Amino acid sequence: MEAERRGLLIILSSPSGAGKSTLARALMEWDNSLRFSISATTRAPRPGEVDGVDYHFVDEATFKDMVNDGEMLEHAHVFGNFYGSPSAPVRAAIETGRDVLFDVDWQGAQQIANSVLRDHVLSIFVLPPSIRELRRRLETRGQDSDEVIAKRMEKSWDEISHWDGYDYVLVNDDLTTTFERLKTIITAERLRRAQQPGLMNFVRHLQSEFQEVEG
Amino acid sequence: MEAERRGLLIILSSPSGAGKSTLARALMEWDNSLRFSISATTRAPRPGEVDGVDYHFVDEATFKDMVNDGEMLEHAHVFGNFYGSPSAPVRAAIETGRDVLFDVDWQGAQQIANSVLRDHVLSIFVLPPSIRELRRRLETRGQDSDEVIAKRMEKSWDEISHWDGYDYVLVNDDLTTTFERLKTIITAERLRRAQQPGLMNFVRHLQSEFQEVEG
């Protein structure tokens, strides 16, 4: 039995400090049917991390098999460890009408947007209102050294420079406004024809009715 | 000077009786920056019709020149008369950030969706809740003969059978809900990257700021 609605793969990208985590949390509270995509990784669990909650912890052979079998929507190699988004849980979720939220960088976003599930991808990029504001948020966030912050800013610029690969771009001037826009975009995209497999049955039903009534 | 926002070509199609005219009117009241696309036609003006308001009345040679010069987004030949949507006023509107609303059938919609302005097209199809309800609305509407209504119903089915060529499909069970959904879709689509040429300048500005702050 097919669900009325097909879920979306919602990609939310931004440089760190532009509000992405806050927005993602607010979205999960707004709609608790949303699922967060849990990454698979070859790195060792840190104290407190739970397998299947924080990450799917797998060994390198398993990870590589998954990539070779096309079971990763995107993957990357970072500081000697592999990270990726397994496709099976995403497929299961969208087939039952649940959206899946991805927190990935522009490279991950690009891979997902070109994956087999590309027709159901909604990608949104969040821009900071200014570079100074971005730096301020990184500075007030923790006790990072100037050097670490400078590196983060470089990484942020790399991320910002790929803003034009996304379906929607929001400037996060004001968190409330940005969150309203995000909800509007998701609410609208759920109404796309491609997201509503149930429509096909509805039109078939109209057709039988037409034949019955109009002969 | 480029506008911050680029307008959309909003195509609203439905079989007659599904609520399209009511929805179009409600949209124009909701946002008075919306423009309605005025068709050009070779048919003679009827009493009370004003050139440039109801239609652009043109002769056949002028019409054919416009088609040959690529100045029509779509056109059709109906009962010996030509009808079409001139592109110049649409371009002028969308370049200044105004959306243009089109009341066209599936053939017109398809032509516009394949026109040079295709990147800015938003197409929405409105389905009736049932065939019986569609017939009821046609019957209560006026003093049409059974024969005329039967013909309208045939035309309606032809229209419905092309529902799958649209970006969005709404089942008009309840006018208030459908109108809310329509507004949500338009509000969201205005936020698409492709509709916001002003973003390019904003990112350029961020880049200068980055170079200034981060060296």
Side-chain angles (χ1 to χ4, degrees):
Chain A
M1 176 63 199
E2 206 168 29
E4 281 296 297
R5 180 167 94 75
R6 191 168 284 136
L8 292 160
L9 282 70
I10 304 173
I11 299 173
L12 198 58
S13 294
S14 84
S16 77
K20 178 173 58 175
S21 311
T22 311
L23 290 166
R25 252 197 317 274
L27 279 180
M28 304 293 275
E29 261 172 59
W30 167 61
D31 180 351
N32 58 26
S33 80
L34 270 174
R35 293 282 170 271
F36 204 86
S37 173
I38 299 165
S39 298
T41 183
T42 58
R43 81 154 166 73
R46 290 178 190 146
E49 283 185 341
V50 179
D51 186 36
V53 175
D54 300 290
Y55 285 94
H56 298 290
F57 295 101
V58 296
D59 60 32
E60 205 168 304
T62 307
F63 193 100
K64 286 183 172 167
D65 280 348
M66 289 176 80
V67 171
N68 291 333
D69 297 346
E71 286 174 32
M72 288 290 186
L73 292 171
E74 57 84 31
H75 65 280
H77 195 222
V78 185
F79 298 128
N81 297 306
F82 290 95
Y83 295 84
S85 303
S87 61
V90 178
R91 273 180 200 279
I94 69 168
E95 273 162 25
T96 52
R98 289 195 177 95
D99 304 328
V100 182
L101 196 59
F102 292 82
D103 175 1
V104 290
D105 66 7
W106 70 269
Q107 284 158 319
Q110 221 167 61
Q111 288 179 52
I112 296 170
N114 291 317
S115 74
V116 285
L117 299 179
R118 76 176 77 90
D119 288 346
H120 308 292
V121 169
L122 161 61
S123 64
I124 304 157
F125 194 83
V126 180
L127 282 170
S130 73
I131 295 297
R132 281 176 185 85
E133 176 60 18
L134 191 68
R135 181 171 250 281
R136 200 189 60 74
R137 291 187 201 166
L138 287 183
E139 283 170 353
T140 55
R141 187 187 272 192
Q143 282 80 21
D144 292 321
S145 67
D146 286 357
E147 204 187 338
V148 168
I149 288 177
K151 267 205 179 129
R152 289 235 171 102
M153 290 299 290
E154 281 296 337
K155 170 94 179 81
S156 289
W157 182 256
D158 180 45
E159 201 59 25
I160 292 172
S161 68
H162 293 90
W163 69 284
D164 62 349
Y166 292 77
D167 299 327
Y168 292 88
V169 177
L170 301 174
V171 179
N172 190 13
D173 258 316
D174 170 73
L175 202 62
T176 311
T177 309
T178 306
F179 183 50
E180 283 307 313
R181 288 179 174 170
L182 204 49
K183 285 189 290 182
T184 300
I185 292 168
I186 294 171
T187 306
E189 291 281 331
R190 285 172 174 174
L191 295 169
R192 280 192 171 265
R193 182 173 47 82
Q195 295 309 117
Q196 300 195 72
L199 278 173
M200 180 66 92
N201 286 332
F202 180 72
V203 175
R204 279 201 200 106
H205 168 82
L206 286 183
Q207 185 167 24
S208 325
E209 200 194 345
F210 183 81
Q211 280 154 359
E212 201 184 308
V213 175
E214 305 294 326
Chain B
M1 175 62 198
E2 205 168 31
E4 280 296 297
R5 180 166 95 75
R6 191 169 283 136
L8 292 160
L9 283 70
I10 305 174
I11 299 172
L12 198 58
S13 295
S14 84
S16 79
K20 179 175 57 176
S21 310
T22 312
L23 290 166
R25 252 196 318 275
L27 279 180
M28 304 293 275
E29 260 170 61
W30 167 60
D31 181 351
N32 58 24
S33 81
L34 271 174
R35 293 284 170 271
F36 204 86
S37 173
I38 299 166
S39 298
T41 183
T42 58
R43 81 153 165 74
R46 290 176 191 149
E49 283 185 342
V50 179
D51 185 36
V53 175
D54 300 291
Y55 284 95
H56 298 290
F57 295 101
V58 297
D59 60 32
E60 206 167 303
T62 307
F63 194 99
K64 286 182 172 169
D65 280 348
M66 290 176 80
V67 171
N68 291 333
D69 296 346
E71 286 174 33
M72 288 291 185
L73 292 171
E74 57 85 30
H75 66 280
H77 194 224
V78 185
F79 299 128
N81 297 307
F82 289 94
Y83 294 84
S85 304
S87 60
V90 178
R91 273 179 200 279
I94 69 169
E95 272 162 26
T96 53
R98 290 195 175 95
D99 304 328
V100 183
L101 196 60
F102 292 82
D103 176 359
V104 290
D105 66 7
W106 70 269
Q107 284 158 318
Q110 222 167 60
Q111 289 180 52
I112 296 170
N114 291 318
S115 74
V116 285
L117 298 180
R118 76 177 77 90
D119 289 347
H120 308 290
V121 169
L122 162 60
S123 66
I124 304 158
F125 194 82
V126 181
L127 283 170
S130 73
I131 295 296
R132 281 176 186 84
E133 175 61 18
L134 192 67
R135 181 172 251 282
R136 199 190 60 74
R137 290 187 202 167
L138 287 183
E139 284 170 354
T140 56
R141 188 186 272 193
Q143 282 80 19
D144 293 321
S145 67
D146 286 357
E147 205 188 337
V148 168
I149 289 178
K151 268 208 179 129
R152 289 239 170 100
M153 289 300 289
E154 280 297 337
K155 170 92 180 84
S156 289
W157 182 256
D158 180 45
E159 202 58 25
I160 292 173
S161 68
H162 292 90
W163 69 284
D164 62 350
Y166 292 78
D167 299 328
Y168 292 87
V169 177
L170 301 175
V171 179
N172 189 14
D173 258 316
D174 170 71
L175 203 62
T176 310
T177 308
T178 307
F179 184 50
E180 282 307 313
R181 287 179 174 168
L182 205 49
K183 286 189 290 183
T184 300
I185 291 167
I186 294 171
T187 306
E189 290 281 332
R190 285 173 173 174
L191 295 168
R192 279 193 173 267
R193 181 174 47 82
Q195 295 310 117
Q196 300 193 72
L199 278 173
M200 181 65 93
N201 286 332
F202 180 70
V203 175
R204 278 201 202 107
H205 167 82
L206 286 183
Q207 184 168 25
S208 326
E209 200 194 346
F210 183 83
Q211 279 155 357
E212 199 184 309
V213 175
E214 305 295 325

